[in-house]
Amino acid sequence: MFGACRALILAVVALLASGPAMAEDGYDLWLRYRPLADSAQARYRPLATAIAAPQDDPSIRIAAAELHRGLTGLLRADVPASADAIAPGAILLGTGGDRRIAALGLPLSTLGREGYLIRSVRVDGKPATVIAANSGVGVLYGAFHLLRLVQTGDPIDRIDIRSVPKVELRLLNHWDNLDRSVERGYAGQSIWDWWKLPDITNPRYVDYARANASIGINGTVLNNVNAKADSLTAPYIAKAAKLADIFRPYGIRVYLSARWSAPIEISGLKTADPLDPAVAAWWKAKADEIYAAIPDFGGFLVKANSEGQPGPQDYHRSHADGANMLAAAVKPHGGIVMWRAFVYAHENPDDRARQAYDEFKPLDGRFADNVIVQVKNGAIDFQPREPFHPLFGAMPKTPLMMEFQITKEYLGFATHLVYLGALFEETLASDTFAKGKGSTVARVIDGSLEGHARTGMAGVANIGVDRNWTGSQFDQANWYAFGRLAWDPEASARRIAADWAGMTFSTDPAFVAPVVDMMMRSREAVVDYMTPLGLHHLMATGHHYGPGPWVDDLERPDWNPVYYHRADAQGIGFDRTKTGSNAVAQYAPPVARQLGDIRTVPERDLLWFHHVRWDHRMASGRILWDELVTRYDRGVAEVAAMRARWATLAPYVDADRHADVMRFLAVQAREAQWWRDASIAYFATFARRPLPAGSPPPAHDLDYYKALRFPYAPGN
Ligand code: GCV
């Protein structure tokens, strides 16, 4: 008995000693600050002996506290923060107004409000590292950068870093409802506890702000774009104001989604016509009321005349009429209006992919200077792969901001491991050819292509009250990558993945290299097992989780998967060339030529733009049908490879998070197979050809897949 007990104790001790320290649940995100290896601690300690920071700026106080917390944890040494004298190896924080910083003669003038410098310097003859900026928030960003370098093992001696954000508005869009449900949210309820606000706040609000500041996010739209007018009533303004107070020192401004019909719903006006003076006066008074409570309120985000939301077109006015009226209301306070271009109407028989362009392109140059038009990355709706939206590059007189979806509505929710950095990067690197070669989407977004100072990138948040914030460990990487790419849309998704993996799990190269490889391939895997070769919008009704390519009975044609894949006895795919909807003509001529020709269109976009015969010969030498099946098989095989790879990485990750990811990958493997089998069973009814050699038949017949129902899946 005693022997068994002792053996058990020894086993537990051995486990604790061998595993990477304590149990973790993911709450700490990439800001874990667990002790570095002894050799690394020894290397960094002389370079981080103390933090010298002025105490009068709240953001600098936060920066000093974060450095203290981070360095103390990483280096297992007390790294005190004070306003006092410089010791050798001190980290000095401050702005140009600070005497010690001014004495260093640093080139701060080109940094703007949010940029920063991190440099090895000598202060009073002693070696030190300075983090300097033109604002406290710039210093805070620099502090997080320095911490990242230490977390990932990068050298900080002889350091000389200058970083300035290329994009002005780096925002999260929360699709959070006032009852705490989250539209397309898969990480539990909304973190905003509207009921208890403003009197009672949650410590999570501060951790949310820290995490966002650490990746440069500087704004948050608190409520769903499918907005309730109540968000604009006095009690809810007070609640939003409380959040704004918490976020302010972290450099995060608060914005609200505005419901177009609010003047009618809140105050009983007879109309919401943007050209009606009473309506304009109502919004002006509302803006004044909001700014009285939130002096740095960012402005409004608007979804109008889209998917049943009210808007100016209800009064035969244009999107520009609507946006400009709201813009006039916030303008005296320095606010902006982000007007979404996600519009389509089933009454319009045109290809849905064409509609936003057709609606907005004629409005180029007609928006007020504090309006920015927010455009989704692709013309349909956050699919696993979409060609870039044709509006990018097509509205040179109007600033356009990017809208990515971080929450994975169409990519397996939080359950599937899909690193979106690869998707974001692919879109941003796409060449619009609007002003010749090199006119990338990134350059439209950062304003450099068309000379816009007002620039922005929004990400639909994947955050909820789940302990790990995002519903799965790996979905944290998508929040992280969004922030880093919003700061620099030309940054490398691979490099960002490496930073994230190092900070979140382990910096051991034997861990980072395979994990980054797995993350980078994960996006292609989901494309392969859900929507290969340019297929899109094939998900089941309501929840957008599983496959439903056969769905053809929804009230709006453009909600049915059959509308998008157009499979028939001859072939499959949506003809968007001259012989079809000609959506391809919305791109600049070189792009339109490439995409519009079946011989030159990249295979990844083939069925997005062409209806292709089942026996069309592909680059591989296979016919289309065989290639399609091969891609489905490849996606399933890739998930199996991800599982096998993750299993080998147990020595580098704490047991809890390792097992957690393992369980999610098991679900993903099962569901990749489901997507593949259901899709092949269905498309085979058109192709009427055998499966290529070695490709197993679907596990069930088509009726089985069609009969599956998930009435309680999130988002239904
Ligand atoms: C907020 C898709 C989603 C909707 C979302 C909409 C939008 O259609 O399924 O839930 O609504 O996009 O972006 O407005």
Side-chain angles (χ1 to χ4, degrees):
M1 176 67 187
F2 173 74
C5 210
R6 188 162 176 272
L8 186 68
I9 293 169
L10 286 178
V12 170
V13 169
L15 200 70
L16 289 176
S18 65
M22 39 199 138
E24 298 193 52
D25 56 16
Y27 183 86
D28 293 337
L29 296 162
W30 47 89
L31 303 173
R32 290 164 53 250
Y33 305 140
R34 299 293 190 272
L36 299 174
D38 291 348
S39 56
Q41 288 182 27
R43 227 173 344 112
Y44 287 116
R45 272 192 197 149
L47 302 165
T49 56
I51 301 146
Q55 293 298 298
D56 49 353
D57 184 301
S59 303
I60 296 182
R61 277 205 303 276
I62 290 172
E66 191 74 29
L67 282 167
H68 169 72
R69 173 182 182 160
L71 294 170
T72 300
L74 289 158
L75 308 184
R76 268 195 214 267
D78 186 29
V79 184
S82 72
D84 299 339
I86 299 285
I91 299 168
L92 170 63
L93 313 184
T95 61
D98 192 85
R99 182 185 48 80
R100 285 183 299 204
I101 301 285
L104 292 169
L106 299 168
L108 299 182
S109 61
T110 59
L111 296 177
R113 207 185 69 80
E114 298 181 308
Y116 55 84
L117 292 175
I118 310 177
R119 273 202 191 172
S120 301
V121 292
R122 293 192 87 79
V123 181
D124 301 336
K126 297 175 193 118
T129 304
V130 65
I131 303 177
N134 292 315
S135 70
V137 169
V139 172
L140 179 60
Y141 291 150
F144 277 116
H145 191 147
L146 187 72
L147 281 166
R148 165 163 37 105
L149 298 176
V150 178
Q151 285 171 284
T152 55
D154 281 340
I156 61 165
D157 55 339
R158 289 195 290 272
I159 195 170
D160 187 0
I161 288 176
R162 173 185 183 276
S163 187
V164 178
K166 291 189 186 158
V167 173
E168 182 195 12
L169 307 166
R170 307 177 299 277
L171 309 190
L172 289 183
N173 286 185
H174 285 266
W175 285 359
D176 293 21
N177 299 313
L178 301 183
D179 63 1
R180 296 193 80 176
S181 60
V182 182
E183 175 139 359
R184 313 304 179 188
Y186 313 108
Q189 285 189 301
S190 166
I191 61 169
W192 317 134
D193 193 339
W194 292 110
W195 182 252
K196 292 189 186 137
L197 280 164
D199 304 295
I200 296 169
T201 60
N202 190 314
R204 260 199 190 229
Y205 301 154
V206 171
D207 286 330
Y208 167 89
R210 282 178 58 230
N212 279 318
S214 77
I215 50 177
I217 287 173
N218 65 1
T220 180
V221 184
L222 297 173
N223 59 321
N224 192 352
V225 286
N226 293 337
K228 293 275 186 227
D230 309 65
S231 297
L232 300 175
T233 58
Y236 281 91
I237 293 170
K239 293 168 193 280
K242 185 68 192 183
L243 291 173
D245 290 343
I246 296 172
F247 300 158
R248 191 166 294 115
Y250 294 86
I252 298 168
R253 282 179 163 203
V254 154
Y255 299 72
L256 290 172
S257 293
R259 182 163 168 84
W260 185 258
S261 50
I264 302 174
E265 293 175 42
I266 295 176
S267 302
L269 265 62
K270 293 271 174 305
T271 176
D273 181 348
L275 301 193
D276 185 307
V279 172
W282 188 90
W283 282 106
K284 192 178 168 331
K286 186 51 71 183
D288 293 348
E289 181 188 349
I290 295 173
Y291 278 95
I294 312 173
D296 56 353
F297 178 64
F300 293 122
L301 170 64
V302 185
K303 172 177 178 179
N305 295 116
S306 169
E307 300 189 324
Q309 296 298 315
Q313 292 182 328
D314 302 346
Y315 308 93
H316 308 290
R317 311 297 185 197
S318 73
H319 285 284
D321 293 331
N324 293 347
M325 182 276 290
L326 275 189
V330 292
K331 177 135 187 165
H333 306 281
I336 59 154
V337 170
M338 296 166 289
W339 195 269
R340 293 177 91 223
F342 177 67
V343 297
Y344 63 101
H346 64 300
E347 299 82 12
N348 182 346
D350 270 354
D351 176 4
R352 171 173 163 186
R354 292 186 56 109
Q355 294 187 24
Y357 178 102
D358 288 343
E359 191 82 58
F360 277 79
K361 166 88 179 149
L363 299 177
D364 190 23
R366 292 192 38 207
F367 289 96
D369 63 3
N370 58 332
V371 174
I372 182 162
V373 173
Q374 182 165 312
V375 182
K376 287 189 182 182
N377 58 289
I380 297 292
D381 194 9
F382 301 135
Q383 298 301 294
R385 167 166 282 129
E386 299 199 28
F388 71 88
H389 201 300
L391 275 174
F392 293 119
M395 294 184 66
K397 297 188 205 129
T398 309
L400 302 185
M401 68 188 280
M402 172 65 77
E403 179 176 317
F404 282 128
Q405 198 181 48
I406 310 174
T407 192
K408 305 201 313 297
E409 174 180 353
Y410 298 100
L411 295 92
F413 298 0
T415 323
H416 293 202
L417 192 166
V418 181
Y419 173 53
L420 295 178
L423 185 162
F424 301 157
E425 180 180 60
E426 179 179 295
T427 307
L428 291 164
S430 297
D431 200 338
T432 69
F433 278 86
K435 291 191 161 182
K437 196 167 161 41
S439 307
T440 59
V441 173
R443 295 194 55 222
V444 176
I445 294 309
D446 70 19
S448 61
L449 188 70
E450 289 142 356
H452 293 298
R454 198 174 292 289
T455 56
M457 192 148 127
V460 179
N462 62 348
I463 297 162
V465 292
D466 273 11
R467 195 55 203 157
N468 63 28
W469 296 86
T470 55
S472 69
Q473 305 295 342
F474 268 84
D475 270 341
Q476 296 177 357
N478 296 330
W479 176 12
Y480 182 82
F482 169 77
R484 292 281 303 275
L485 282 163
W487 185 276
D488 178 5
E490 289 174 325
S492 146
R494 178 174 285 276
R495 178 68 222 258
I496 292 170
D499 285 347
W500 176 81
M503 291 189 282
T504 304
F505 293 114
S506 161
T507 52
D508 193 320
F511 172 81
V512 174
V515 165
V516 169
D517 186 53
M518 176 176 96
M519 289 168 75
M520 292 303 290
R521 295 163 68 120
S522 64
R523 189 298 186 97
E524 210 56 49
V526 74
V527 169
D528 279 344
Y529 66 72
M530 285 187 182
T531 52
L533 296 172
L535 289 174
H536 50 288
H537 213 283
L538 300 185
M539 63 288 162
T541 301
H543 57 76
H544 297 178
Y545 192 62
W550 47 82
V551 174
D552 62 359
D553 58 354
L554 301 178
E555 87 195 68
R556 298 175 53 150
D558 53 10
W559 279 351
N560 288 296
V562 296
Y563 171 95
Y564 297 95
H565 64 68
R566 305 195 170 205
D568 56 24
Q570 277 69 49
I572 182 171
F574 199 131
D575 182 1
R576 295 194 163 108
T577 69
K578 281 204 276 288
T579 53
S581 76
N582 206 20
V584 77
Q586 295 179 332
Y587 290 99
V591 181
R593 269 197 302 279
Q594 187 206 17
L595 300 177
D597 187 335
I598 197 166
R599 292 163 306 179
T600 53
V601 64
E603 283 192 347
R604 67 184 197 192
D605 296 326
L606 179 66
L607 305 179
W608 187 284
F609 290 108
H610 298 268
H611 190 75
V612 183
R613 293 180 60 85
W614 292 114
D615 61 0
H616 173 77
R617 201 54 70 185
M618 304 288 289
S620 62
R622 298 182 197 102
I623 60 166
L624 171 64
W625 167 248
D626 289 355
E627 183 69 26
L628 192 67
V629 176
T630 304
R631 298 285 176 121
Y632 276 116
D633 284 338
R634 194 173 79 176
V636 172
E638 188 65 44
V639 179
M642 283 158 63
R643 273 179 96 181
R645 183 169 291 194
W646 185 253
T648 68
L649 299 173
Y652 305 98
V653 182
D654 53 281
D656 287 350
R657 287 187 304 163
H658 186 268
D660 193 25
V661 173
M662 217 56 236
R663 281 189 291 270
F664 274 70
L665 285 170
V667 178
Q668 186 174 1
R670 198 173 65 224
E671 295 182 345
Q673 189 72 47
W674 168 33
W675 267 93
R676 178 260 181 210
D677 284 355
S679 306
I680 289 179
Y682 172 67
F683 290 131
T685 64
F686 299 97
R688 297 188 172 280
R689 288 162 194 274
L691 296 179
S695 188
H700 302 277
D701 64 15
L702 181 57
D703 288 341
Y704 168 87
Y705 298 109
K706 284 183 165 181
L708 296 174
R709 293 283 177 275
F710 303 93
Y712 303 112
N716 222 346

